[in-house]
DNA sequence: GCGAGGGGGTTACACGTGTCAGTGACGCGT
DNA sequence: ACGCGTCACTGACACGTGTAACCCCCTCGC
């Protein structure tokens, strides 16, 4: 605007941000001394009066070290990269996600979320590698290839952790066994004598990562049950949007589908569908059993109370500690742990 | 390990990550040329054959630039710091939060979440300043002081944006008018003829940031109504934990409280309480009206359908654009915008 | 009196990058 | 033949920090 800014571009308010050199000048010592004092380096002895002068000078100038310069010199940072997806995840998952970040910060890591919008795995890995993170915790948004992992490790990542459906060599793979959720839910329904079982699959894009394995798990349960006394169970996928209209439409043609049970992906979808079924005159659980997942408190408020799959998720804290250990000792054996355990909580809707 | 690496430090797959100097060596040009080529600098002309050689060398070595070194030299980064709280926020807020991050990344910013666990405002600001972010979007976890803002700006932040209840000078303050939510809800109840109004206050620590202003808003509504025809409305705070036991306990002594309406902080708390009231034989809405907030889909599934306050939140996208504009032009006048608008959606519970 | 030793600092280099100011080589007009 | 301009590229510095290696001076022991 005013041309005076062109002449003196370095006039914010208190001018430029002070460096350790400024502190050194003010304290009347060398820059090295400043570094030693402010980092409490034990290998070098500095007298107490000097320490005080340095600290006071730093305080007076409002000196703040430059993290980038520091980690450039050090050759490593304490940054954990956490590529996260842009998907409407449920409360359980976002809780886990929050805890993870919280615990990492407690362990003195800097958590960086980073997107990889429509990038291929290798491009994404390249973008991540630019930041030279000390660890990468990939949440399954992109399926890392082996070369991508290689690139990340070469760029200084001491730990690469994948949370996904499949294992990636060279990483600590935490198997997020979504399939098991569908499996136990469906097995429970079959045990209760149900035979034609619908499985709700959200149409919400981005949820496929969760919904597909759950459907597969349901299919597995139906097949393995075929051998026992309870033979002939079938699974029918049911696309559903998360709104009343879609639920009513599905409930409207429920009788022609000839189903006697439904695993609804989620407690939220389950509640939505159950209400629509009741409004359409289908009795739950007599005519159709309904099972959700996540064990939300709200599911207990409906009548009948919603049966559900309770998911015991690994604590964010545990995962954070795994990260920390892998960073400390890069040769930690890539142990694969299962991220979640599932068990059915039977209430009244099944 | 093996001493041969000391003799030949240039082993691509093994060990060190290649720098632009390695690329230059392989391509047979100077490091400056590499920089020009890979950054497509238009001010300098490089012949096409040379460009190709450089690109191929970079490709072969798997060269990845070092973001920290780059921003050190450049004197600025494209990092947006997003200090976030460790609180169990609702779906609405976390949706907004996700969108914001997503849009910022789309605008080519690097989003960094950073904690400030129990730090005082000035300490937190110091920790943030170390990262030299180009913008800080504070979500009200810590109340920034004026000096803290000053420090951040001196350290290179071109935009400081606060989302909170109070305005901070020198920042773009987005007023998150939580009070208004309680106000419209309570006003609605008073208009409907209710007089003794309970206001649920979650005991969950960390939610006070939201619940306190809502309670205050409710009180304001009751007071301002005192002047009109509908005089004598009173507000009674009701602490509540998010579990059935707590809700049942509250419902058990409902009659002695003598309330004829309740604004329940949230749709989730509202659903919980409404169920408990019904189980205790209190009829809704005849005996007691219930109003929630957030307009969750699930609220429409209960009977009676839950009345609620619909919250129109500023889009994450809009906020991201404000950040971007403020970064581009640091002299953008600190406009204060209201982050959310509230209106009552009357259904059947009131 | 003189070397050893150590307390208290400093000098100098390295980290990886961007970019300004040159520097040859070459074509061209007079 | 010589100056001038353009092309294609290089040399050198700066960004802010950590740390190994060195240096000076004082004291102590013999």
């Amino acid at each position: 605007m005013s041309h005076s800014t062109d002449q003196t571009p370095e006039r914010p308010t208190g001018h430029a941000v002070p460096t350790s050199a400024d502190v050194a000048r003010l304290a009347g010592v060398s820059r090295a001394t400043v570094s030693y004092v402010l980092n409490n380096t034990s290998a070098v002895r500095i007298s107490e009066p000097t320490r005080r002068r340095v600290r006071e000078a730093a305080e007076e100038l409002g000196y703040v070290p430059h993290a980038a310069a520091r980690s450039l010199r050090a050759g490593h940072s304490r940054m954990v990269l956490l590529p996260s997806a842009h998907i409407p995840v449920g409360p359980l998952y976002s809780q886990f996600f929050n805890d993870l970040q919280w615990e990492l910060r407690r362990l003195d890591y800097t958590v960086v979320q980073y997107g990889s919008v429509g990038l291929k795995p290798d491009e994404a890995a390249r973008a991540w590698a630019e930041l030279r993170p000390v660890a990468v915790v990939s949440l399954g948004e992109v399926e890392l290839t082996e070369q991508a992992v290689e690139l990340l490790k070469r760029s200084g990542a001491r730990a690469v952790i994948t949370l996904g459906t499949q294992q990636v060599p060279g990483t600590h793979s935490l198997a997020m066994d979504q399939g098991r959720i569908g499996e136990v839910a469906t097995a429970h329904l079959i045990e209760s004598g149900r035979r034609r079982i619908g499985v709700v699959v959200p149409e919400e894009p981005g949820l496929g990562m969760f919904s597909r394995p759950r459907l597969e798990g349901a299919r597995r349960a139906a097949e393995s049950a075929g051998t026992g006394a309870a033979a002939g169970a079938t699974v029918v996928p049911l696309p559903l949007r998360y709104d009343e209209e879609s639920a009513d439409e599905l409930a409207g043609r429920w009788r022609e589908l000839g189903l006697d049970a439904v695993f609804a992906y989620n407690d939220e979808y389950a509640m939505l569908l159950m209400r629509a079924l009741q409004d359409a005159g289908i009795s739950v659980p007599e005519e159709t059993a309904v099972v959700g997942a996540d064990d939300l408190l709200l599911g207990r408020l409906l009548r009948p109370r919603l049966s559900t799959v309770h998911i015991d998720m690994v604590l964010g804290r545990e995962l954070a500690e795994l990260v920390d250990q892998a960073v400390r000792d890069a040769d930690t054996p890539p142990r694969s742990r299962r991220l979640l355990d599932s068990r059915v909580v039977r209430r009244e809707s099944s």
Side-chain angles (χ1 to χ4, degrees), chain A:
Chain A
M1 302 300 165
S2 76
H3 58 289
S4 70
T5 60
D6 293 326
Q7 301 175 350
T8 62
E10 66 282 12
R11 285 290 171 271
T13 294
H15 329 307
V17 36
T19 75
S20 68
D22 297 321
V23 177
R25 212 167 299 135
L26 180 57
V29 297
S30 78
R31 214 178 45 67
T33 302
V34 172
S35 176
Y36 287 136
V37 170
L38 296 183
N39 293 323
N40 280 321
T41 309
S42 53
V44 181
R45 300 208 50 85
I46 307 280
S47 72
E48 195 51 44
T50 308
R51 299 189 107 92
R52 288 178 52 96
R53 287 218 317 283
V54 169
R55 291 214 180 88
E56 283 167 7
E59 181 70 25
E60 181 178 340
L61 291 177
Y63 168 68
V64 174
H66 192 302
R70 177 180 294 206
S71 68
L72 171 61
R73 162 64 221 214
H76 61 85
S77 67
R78 285 187 68 78
M79 177 192 304
V80 175
L81 196 59
L82 215 128
S84 56
H86 183 238
I87 49 178
V89 294
L92 204 76
Y93 190 76
S94 81
Q95 165 81 21
F96 162 73
F97 198 67
N98 274 341
D99 281 357
L100 172 60
Q101 296 189 44
W102 180 257
E103 291 296 334
L104 283 173
R105 295 192 290 238
R106 225 176 46 90
L107 290 169
D108 202 33
Y109 291 96
T110 302
V111 177
V112 176
Q113 288 209 20
Y114 206 85
S116 39
V117 191
L119 283 62
K120 299 191 198 72
D122 292 353
E123 296 170 339
R126 212 194 94 100
W128 300 344
E130 288 191 7
L131 297 180
R132 300 292 195 278
V134 72
V136 179
V137 181
S138 169
L139 295 128
E141 187 188 15
V142 300
E143 298 290 346
L144 287 181
T145 68
E146 202 164 346
Q147 337 166 19
V149 173
E150 169 71 14
L151 172 60
L152 286 172
K153 292 208 158 176
R154 269 208 310 155
S155 79
R158 295 175 61 89
V160 179
I161 295 180
T162 55
L163 270 60
T165 51
Q166 62 191 26
Q167 302 226 129
V168 182
T171 70
H172 300 253
S173 300
L174 295 207
M176 188 162 54
D177 199 351
Q178 298 287 337
R180 181 109 183 104
I181 298 172
E183 204 171 336
V184 297
T186 307
H188 160 68
L189 289 171
I190 292 173
E191 273 174 32
S192 311
R194 312 286 172 165
R195 285 299 170 272
R196 290 190 46 83
I197 299 167
V199 173
V200 167
V201 180
E203 291 189 357
E204 192 76 50
L207 248 41
M209 179 184 137
F210 300 102
S211 64
R212 255 191 309 272
R214 293 187 190 191
L215 176 58
E216 290 312 315
R219 288 210 167 105
R220 275 203 307 278
E223 281 167 18
S224 74
T227 65
T234 60
V235 162
V236 180
L238 301 171
L240 182 62
R241 288 196 319 276
Y242 189 60
D243 57 48
E244 286 181 297
E245 195 184 348
S246 178
D248 287 340
E249 190 274 333
L250 177 57
R253 55 190 175 83
W254 195 255
R255 291 241 159 74
E256 33 185 294
L257 288 168
L259 301 173
D260 59 3
V262 58
F263 164 57
Y265 173 72
N266 208 345
D267 279 354
E268 291 179 292
Y269 280 84
M271 291 168 80
L272 177 63
L273 180 56
M274 188 164 88
R275 172 92 267 160
L277 287 176
Q278 289 174 323
D279 286 352
I282 318 277
S283 67
V284 178
E286 292 77 14
E287 201 166 345
T288 294
V290 178
V291 172
D294 278 4
D295 197 7
L296 294 191
L297 175 54
L298 295 184
R300 289 177 234 175
L301 305 184
L302 292 187
R303 296 296 179 265
R305 285 176 242 263
L306 184 65
S307 293
T308 189
V309 178
H310 183 90
I311 300 173
D312 276 315
M313 210 157 181
V314 147
L315 301 178
R317 172 173 191 169
E318 265 186 78
L319 180 50
E321 276 163 6
L322 171 60
V323 170
D324 187 47
Q325 186 187 334
V327 166
R328 285 178 137 72
D329 175 14
D331 295 330
T332 301
R335 59 168 158 171
S336 295
R337 202 179 175 307
R338 68 162 4 108
L339 185 61
L340 41 85
D341 266 332
S342 317
R343 66 171 198 278
V344 170
V345 177
R346 179 174 201 169
R347 292 207 232 276
E348 301 164 1
S349 70
S350 72

